[in-house]
Amino acid sequence: NGSADSIIFVFDRTPPNVSFVSPTDGETIFTQTPAVIVSVSDENGINPDSAYFIVEADTFYTDTFFYNSGDFDFSDGIFTIDLDGLGYELPERDSSTIIFGGVFDTISGDFSCPIIFAELESITVFVADDDTIPPTISSPEYDLPWCGDGWYSLIGLSVT
């Protein structure tokens, strides 16, 4: 018949873009159980199935949480891991590193093409001790009556 069908192949060689939304790198946080939010974008879509968070809470232990195990949520390009909901606490008075990885483009059809994963992204946060939050101190002045040889005043401190 003389007509030929044409097939067009489009290769997506650009990995998804990953960025931490909250907390940010180097931030001091005042909770041991933050919600960690990561934004991921790609013009061809995201496959979240192999996404993971690694939490390096100190030099003694590292834990990994997986999307396909239901450890965290994904919706509209946003991954959220709620450490409080997992019962996981970061140590106080210490730095913790949180790593995100495993995300790649949405792929359909032949998987013989190489999968392009997003680069690993990480942040380091410092969890302050509750005792490092300074108290509010007020010092009202109270006047006392005349005591024979002069007026006396008493300064009282109130700590909250």
Side-chain angles (χ1 to χ4, degrees), residues 17-111:
N17 295 314
V18 176
S19 62
F20 277 83
V21 175
S22 175
T24 57
D25 190 35
E27 184 176 348
T28 296
I29 57 177
F30 294 94
T31 178
Q32 290 179 270
T33 56
V36 180
I37 302 169
V38 172
S39 173
V40 180
S41 62
D42 187 88
E43 65 183 46
N44 294 310
I46 303 297
N47 185 329
D49 292 339
S50 61
Y52 58 86
F53 280 94
I54 299 173
V55 180
E56 295 176 345
D58 62 25
T59 57
F60 299 109
Y61 64 94
T62 298
D63 290 292
T64 304
F65 302 96
F66 297 95
Y67 174 72
N68 61 7
S69 296
D71 293 337
F72 53 92
D73 297 321
F74 174 71
S75 179
D76 297 325
I78 301 292
F79 287 90
T80 304
I81 185 168
D82 179 12
L83 295 182
D84 187 39
L86 291 170
Y88 189 89
E89 291 186 347
L90 301 176
E92 287 183 316
R93 299 178 304 276
D94 203 355
S95 293
S96 296
T97 299
I98 302 169
I99 302 165
F100 179 79
V103 175
F104 57 90
D105 295 331
T106 299
I107 299 174
S108 61
D110 183 6
F111 286 96

Side-chain angles (χ1 to χ4, degrees), residues 103-149:
V103 175
F104 57 90
D105 295 331
T106 299
I107 299 174
S108 61
D110 183 6
F111 286 96
S112 62
C113 296
I115 295 173
I116 308 294
F117 283 90
E119 295 286 326
L120 291 177
E121 292 292 329
S122 68
I123 59 169
T124 300
V125 295
F126 181 80
V127 180
D129 184 353
D130 288 342
D131 296 337
T132 62
I133 302 171
T136 303
I137 301 175
S138 60
S139 58
E141 187 174 311
Y142 301 100
D143 286 328
L144 297 178
W146 177 264
C147 287
D149 60 348

